[in-house]
Amino acid sequence: MKIIELQVGQLGTNCYVVYCEQTLKAGVIDPGGSAEAIIAEIKKANLKVEYIINTHGHADHIAANDAVQQATGAKILIHHEDADMLTSAQRNLSMFIGGGIVCQPADQLLSHNDTVIIGSIELKVLHTPGHTPGGICLLSDKVLIAGDTLFAESIGRTDFPGGSYNQLINSIKDNLMKLADDVEVLPGHGPKTSIGWERNHNAFIQ
């Protein structure tokens, strides 16, 4: 699995383009803005984007969904508990930050332990509610794309509607802390980390 990393939108969301080297089939994870930059990277690598996957439904992770979908024909995937956030500016919080972002509804709804196949890549869906009810992480071999569930020495906010601190901590402990120390964590904001580093240094989950 190859990964192109971009910082997009006003809040510096980490968008990841994952692709299979053999087939050039790809998935775009959390296109939260900067649609032109994302599309340029896709064209530059000659990728065939099959899926747009949102780790959750907040505006800074979905804002470029429609533009990327129009450019690629990809299907939009999101956990079923966050699906209505795509079509509601109130639910995705954009109406509160001077926007009003609404997207096309999802083409496919995800659940815990689903697998998304992209060429030779298998992305396992881990439902990790707490930041939002339908927050997910995506696991492939030794890489975890964590959305806003787990950050470097921090965790996602839980003070938004639908958030729960206790639920988020339980999600991390029950799903992520069972992974091997050498699993690389690619969060929705900020620098990379690893499961081992967070296990030993993240004060929220000690």
Side-chain angles (χ1 to χ4, degrees), residues 168-182:
L168 184 61
I169 295 300
N170 288 335
S171 290
I172 293 169
K173 289 183 175 180
D174 293 344
N175 290 285
L176 307 189
M177 289 302 107
K178 293 179 179 178
L179 303 176
D181 283 350
D182 61 346

Side-chain angles (χ1 to χ4, degrees), residues 12 20 30-31 36 45 67 74 123 125 135 141 147-148 160 178 184 186 201 206:
C20 166
D30 288 345
E36 291 182 0
L123 296 174
V125 176
D141 297 325
D148 285 4
F160 295 129
K178 293 179 179 178
E184 185 178 37
L186 306 182
H201 296 89
Q206 293 298 313

Side-chain angles (χ1 to χ4, degrees), residues 96-172:
F96 302 110
I97 54 174
I101 295 164
V102 291
C103 305
Q104 292 297 311
D107 298 291
Q108 181 179 332
L109 300 180
L110 299 171
S111 297
H112 184 64
N113 281 334
D114 281 353
T115 301
V116 181
I117 306 294
I118 303 170
S120 62
I121 301 167
E122 294 187 7
L123 296 174
K124 182 179 180 181
V125 176
L126 302 177
H127 183 212
T128 53
H131 179 65
T132 65
I136 62 170
C137 299
L138 298 164
L139 178 65
S140 181
D141 297 325
K142 293 293 185 179
V143 176
L144 180 80
I145 298 173
D148 285 4
T149 296
L150 181 66
F151 299 134
E153 298 185 22
S154 189
I155 59 172
R157 290 179 61 168
T158 57
D159 57 337
F160 295 129
S164 166
Y165 179 83
N166 289 337
Q167 193 175 41
L168 184 61
I169 295 300
N170 288 335
S171 290
I172 293 169

Side-chain angles (χ1 to χ4, degrees), residues 51-114:
Y51 300 111
I52 296 162
I53 309 173
N54 299 130
T55 60
H56 61 288
H58 284 153
D60 61 319
H61 290 253
I62 67 171
N65 271 16
D66 283 3
V68 175
Q69 185 180 47
Q70 289 165 11
T72 63
K75 293 181 178 180
I76 294 173
L77 280 56
I78 194 169
H79 190 274
H80 60 85
E81 291 193 48
D82 275 12
D84 62 345
M85 297 173 78
L86 295 176
T87 55
S88 169
Q90 181 174 356
R91 288 274 289 120
N92 67 39
L93 306 184
S94 61
M95 69 177 294
F96 302 110
I97 54 174
I101 295 164
V102 291
C103 305
Q104 292 297 311
D107 298 291
Q108 181 179 332
L109 300 180
L110 299 171
S111 297
H112 184 64
N113 281 334
D114 281 353

